[in-house]
Amino acid sequence: MAKNAHIVFTPSGRRGDFPVGTSVLTAARSLGVDIDSVCGGRGICGRCQVEAGEGEFAKHKIVSSCSNMTGFSSVEERYACKKGMKEGRRLSCQATIEGDLLIDVPAESQVHKQVVRKRADVREIEIDPPIRLHYVEVAEPDMHHPSGDLERLEDALEAQWGLKNLHCDLRTLQTLQPVLRKGKWQVTVAVENEKTIIAVWPGYKENAFGIAVDLGSTTVAAHLCDLQTGEVTASSGIMNPQIRFGEDLMSRVSYVMMNPGGDKEMTVAVREALDIVIGVVADEGNIERTDILSMTFVGNPVMHHLLLGIDPTELGGAPFALTLNSSIDLYASELGLNISPDGRVYILPCIAGHVGADTAGVILSEGPHLQDEVTLICDVGTNAEIVLGNKDRLLACSSPTGPAFEGAQITSGQRAAPGAIERIRIDPETLEPRYRVIGCDLWSDEDGFAEQTKSTGVTGICGSGIIEAIGEMFLAGIIQTDGIIDGSLSEKSPRVKFNGKTYDYVISENEPLITVTQTDVRAIQLAKAALYAGVKLLMEKLGVETIDRIQLAGAFGSHIDVKYAMVIGLIPDCDLERVKSAGNAAGTGARIALLNKAARKEIEDVVGRVEKIETAVEPKFQEHFVNAMGMPNTVDEFVNLAKVVNLPERKVGAPAAEGSAEGGRRRRRRR
């Protein structure tokens, strides 16, 4: 009777008794231990590395020793020579059991690797992609046992990987015979959801890739990910070429309404942009397009429809009907995307008329449905998507903020680019500004600023800059509660200038002249009031008066200072320590869906429970909107904010005539 050895695996804690001579990998698999392998135990991929514990482990009641495994094999020596291996590591497919062992499976050898977001307060991504690679050795054709190449490939996958009842896509089948012969009957197979063969390569292939795409109305962002490790190997972004048809979503819908075939034009434009960005990340990642097996997409409903080649006209008016709001699985070729011939596309579900798959991505990324706290998530862009709630109940709405937050429709506004003002401070006594521009770490009043910005100049003010400018102007007393620029301050500082009708604040007198006008202030007021009113509606529907946590998502949300977002009344009062930037949360949601098949089912279930509030038909929206026009708000108190900054007394007035002392002054103190 063969002698048995007791084996304990960490960190899982799984254990069992196995006959001496059993491979460590076989023991691990029989216990359901999370351990990776692509090559099927042939010592090629090196992903099944483990370490044996040395000594007595009282907790596990085991004495473990490296000598209780067979010595280094020639296969391990060859792998270590070619690719290197940490001291003490063994290939579990090669090492066999000789006695009691405690085996540690390091993180990089686990199938379900944990990729932790930079911020500690968000979820980890479990790497478990729908598409996996399997290396197999296929029996050669035999006159005495006639069968097709596909049948023998399927037999090999069942025998070597336990995959049964597979079927093969036609385009993959069309290349199967030459690939098998080129690989001398040794091939790597990509299988989707343990059901479908979608790609075959000759020989051993170590990596396959996917792309997560955030299809925004302004920019298209793509992240190339290794499907086995979750590593982001390349990222790129491109301006959405649909901007030429209109900066905001309704402008693009209007273009379709007024121009027959306009939807097809925009579909072609965005797909061409995607082709460019796919090529860029493939080049940066040093891979072939055919190595890309999967893509996931998030985007607002209009972008969603135009990507799919669906006329978005119905989204242009009530009841804002979607063609579909469920998730959708497609072949990439159906969208004209040039990746692997049988590459897959998964598009996350939309929630409702103007709350799209990008919001679903944000929810998946930030996980409000898993929290006890009442969390507010605002994805700020040309159209703001708002989510409020916790694990018990989630509500969502959208508000048309317009392009002002991105620098559009602002007198000196521009997109974020080198030379654009992104940070600004105003002295409350002298009203003199100092600022920083993109591409330079110095403030404008520091030595060397002129030299460092000589190549770009100071060209304008971007979205984060205009938020800070309005906030600083309010705190310095230049702007009153109602948003009026206090013209009486022109006596105090030449920075406040009369333009014939209203007053401007001059940030830079150089060429080009950079100012904040009364019209600019109004544009920001309208945008922030729309978002705030949407938030207030959701708070009323949820029955809460305060919010525990606020997350600002989106490219704009990730760059603004959350303090100034609250100063101007973009978001409601909250402990500033609990207000964070979520970065590109929609893109992160797309990446989670790319790398974890269970996450797709999760977000589909959650979206089905989200309650959509349509602001256009809510009678109290207008009341909240009017109140939110004030700085930071006409009626709501900001007690948490007041602990951090000295908020001016509420004061309103009309713009004073040039030289007049009217308009009043307010208490001005620095934070």
Side-chain angles (χ1 to χ4, degrees):
M1 189 175 193
K3 178 186 174 184
N4 283 347
H6 190 64
I7 312 299
V8 178
F9 288 91
T10 61
S12 67
R14 297 191 178 186
R15 61 180 64 215
D17 294 319
F18 296 90
V20 167
T22 304
S23 80
V24 174
L25 182 60
T26 299
R29 284 181 170 171
S30 69
L31 292 172
V33 174
D34 191 22
I35 191 166
D36 203 358
S37 176
V38 170
C39 67
R42 295 171 177 82
I44 300 173
C45 70
R47 291 187 175 176
C48 65
Q49 295 181 34
V50 296
E51 293 182 30
E54 193 76 32
E56 182 177 358
F57 297 88
K59 176 183 176 182
H60 301 291
K61 299 178 181 179
I62 191 172
V63 177
S64 174
S65 172
C66 294
S67 61
N68 288 345
M69 282 192 295
T70 51
F72 235 55
S73 69
S74 59
V75 172
E76 288 175 291
E77 288 175 352
R78 184 174 68 247
Y79 179 86
C81 182
K82 287 186 174 182
K83 297 189 176 180
M85 194 155 60
K86 290 181 180 179
E87 187 174 350
R89 292 279 179 90
R90 298 293 304 274
L91 297 182
S92 62
C93 63
Q94 300 298 309
T96 59
I97 297 166
E98 295 289 318
D100 294 349
L101 285 166
L102 184 140
I103 301 291
D104 181 63
V105 183
E108 56 267 35
S109 297
Q110 296 170 20
V111 175
H112 303 94
K113 302 172 183 70
Q114 300 295 311
V115 178
V116 183
R117 292 277 310 279
K118 289 184 178 179
R119 293 197 335 278
D121 61 342
V122 295
R123 290 200 302 157
E124 298 173 342
I125 303 175
E126 186 180 89
I127 308 304
D128 187 18
I131 298 171
R132 288 196 171 275
L133 300 183
H134 305 275
Y135 175 80
V136 292
E137 295 175 354
V138 182
E140 297 184 35
D142 187 335
M143 289 284 290
H144 300 288
H145 303 283
S147 64
D149 283 351
L150 176 61
E151 285 69 29
R152 279 179 279 105
L153 175 64
E154 290 174 339
D155 289 344
L157 285 164
E158 181 175 353
Q160 297 168 40
W161 289 98
L163 299 173
K164 300 179 181 180
N165 302 317
L166 299 175
H167 69 272
C168 184
D169 283 337
L170 177 61
R171 279 165 294 205
T172 298
L173 187 61
Q174 289 167 344
T175 64
L176 180 60
Q177 289 198 322
V179 168
L180 282 168
R181 285 150 182 82
K182 184 177 179 180
K184 298 179 180 179
W185 308 100
Q186 298 174 355
V187 294
T188 302
V189 185
V191 180
E192 182 191 34
N193 291 323
E194 300 182 351
K195 294 179 180 178
T196 309
I197 298 169
I198 68 167
V200 183
W201 295 270
Y204 171 68
K205 185 174 181 61
E206 188 169 7
N207 302 99
F209 296 85
I211 299 179
V213 180
D214 180 4
L215 184 57
S217 55
T218 303
T219 58
V220 179
H223 306 284
L224 178 70
C225 303
D226 187 316
L227 293 178
Q228 313 305 312
T229 67
E231 178 187 1
V232 178
T233 59
S235 294
S236 184
I238 188 172
M239 293 293 290
N240 189 330
Q242 293 177 346
I243 286 176
R244 68 177 183 263
F245 301 102
E247 282 202 320
D248 59 82
L249 299 176
M250 286 302 97
S251 295
R252 294 179 204 178
V253 174
S254 296
Y255 180 85
V256 174
M257 292 175 174
M258 295 185 291
N259 298 274
D263 56 319
K264 294 180 175 58
E265 288 182 75
M266 283 190 273
T267 294
V268 169
V270 76
R271 290 182 182 178
E272 287 177 349
L274 286 168
D275 186 69
I276 292 171
V277 82
I278 290 169
V280 170
V281 295
D283 289 344
E284 289 183 1
N286 197 28
I287 65 167
E288 299 295 326
R289 283 177 179 254
T290 51
D291 292 333
I292 302 168
L293 303 182
S294 179
M295 295 183 72
T296 53
F297 284 87
V298 296
N300 61 62
V302 174
M303 293 300 97
H304 171 278
H305 278 43
L306 289 171
L307 170 66
L308 292 171
I310 298 172
D311 188 332
T313 299
E314 290 298 324
L315 295 172
F320 311 108
L322 288 158
T323 300
L324 80 162
N325 62 320
S326 57
S327 63
I328 184 168
D329 290 280
L330 302 163
Y331 286 101
S333 58
E334 292 181 84
L335 300 181
L337 302 177
N338 182 17
I339 58 172
S340 178
D342 280 321
R344 299 297 205 258
V345 164
Y346 175 80
I347 302 176
L348 276 71
C350 291
I351 296 174
H354 284 295
V355 184
D358 48 355
T359 306
V362 171
I363 292 172
L364 186 57
S365 170
E366 299 307 303
H369 58 292
L370 305 174
Q371 310 283 340
D372 290 317
E373 299 172 310
V374 174
T375 300
L376 170 67
I377 303 174
C378 299
D379 193 345
V380 188
T382 53
N383 194 65
E385 288 84 28
I386 308 163
V387 176
L388 180 69
N390 58 13
K391 65 182 184 182
D392 299 319
R393 190 181 175 197
L394 275 185
L395 292 83
C397 73
S398 65
S399 279
T401 50
F405 288 145
E406 296 176 342
Q409 298 178 1
I410 300 296
T411 305
S412 299
Q414 66 166 91
R415 303 284 183 194
I421 294 173
E422 61 172 346
R423 295 283 178 262
I424 184 169
R425 300 291 181 268
I426 299 174
D427 187 297
E429 298 303 324
T430 65
L431 306 188
E432 283 298 302
R434 61 190 186 100
Y435 49 82
R436 277 174 46 182
V437 301
I438 297 174
C440 179
D441 293 330
L442 298 176
W443 288 86
S444 58
D445 59 348
E446 291 182 301
D447 292 338
F449 175 82
E451 290 75 14
Q452 286 199 19
T453 58
K454 187 175 181 180
S455 60
T456 61
V458 180
T459 54
I461 187 165
C462 66
S464 61
I466 194 66
I467 292 297
E468 291 197 7
I470 300 294
E472 282 283 305
M473 289 169 68
F474 173 62
L475 293 172
I478 300 168
I479 294 176
Q480 301 178 151
T481 304
D482 58 3
I484 298 295
I485 295 177
D486 187 349
S488 68
L489 294 180
S490 61
E491 297 177 357
K492 180 177 181 178
S493 170
R495 295 283 178 181
V496 180
K497 285 193 173 181
F498 186 62
N499 61 23
K501 291 184 179 179
T502 56
Y503 284 85
D504 304 334
Y505 177 74
V506 179
I507 296 175
S508 174
E509 296 178 296
N510 299 324
E511 183 63 34
L513 179 70
I514 299 174
T515 63
V516 176
T517 69
Q518 186 65 68
T519 302
D520 298 336
V521 177
R522 279 286 180 258
I524 295 298
Q525 283 181 280
L526 291 168
K528 68 101 173 180
L531 192 151
Y532 193 95
V535 173
K536 287 291 288 186
L537 271 180
L538 296 191
M539 291 175 69
E540 286 185 346
K541 296 288 184 181
L542 193 62
V544 298
E545 295 184 358
T546 59
I547 292 170
D548 298 319
R549 188 169 68 114
I550 299 177
Q551 302 284 101
L552 293 179
F556 172 73
S558 66
H559 286 93
I560 61 174
D561 186 319
V562 295
K563 179 179 72 176
Y564 289 101
M566 195 175 292
V567 165
I568 70 166
L570 178 68
I571 52 177
D573 187 52
C574 182
D575 180 354
L576 275 170
E577 291 297 318
R578 307 284 288 160
V579 184
K580 305 292 183 183
S581 166
N584 182 16
T588 299
R591 188 158 55 91
I592 293 171
L594 178 74
L595 298 171
N596 186 285
K597 58 188 177 185
R600 300 183 179 188
K601 180 66 167 62
E602 176 188 350
I603 193 57
E604 290 162 8
D605 290 343
V606 173
V607 163
R609 303 197 306 268
V610 174
E611 301 173 43
K612 171 62 168 63
I613 306 301
E614 182 52 65
T615 59
V617 298
E618 289 290 336
K620 290 204 71 174
F621 180 83
Q622 190 63 26
E623 177 186 336
H624 292 313
F625 180 87
V626 171
N627 292 337
M629 285 290 286
M631 296 283 182
N633 193 281
T634 304
V635 296
D636 290 350
E637 297 294 334
F638 281 70
V639 293
N640 286 289
L641 180 62
K643 297 174 185 177
V644 181
V645 301
N646 290 321
L647 292 172
E649 296 173 358
R650 283 180 177 152
K651 190 162 188 173
V652 299
E658 186 173 20
S660 169
E662 294 176 5
R665 302 175 188 268
R666 69 173 56 77
R667 171 173 56 90
R668 293 183 293 277
R669 290 188 295 161
R670 195 58 175 167
R671 279 100 40 228

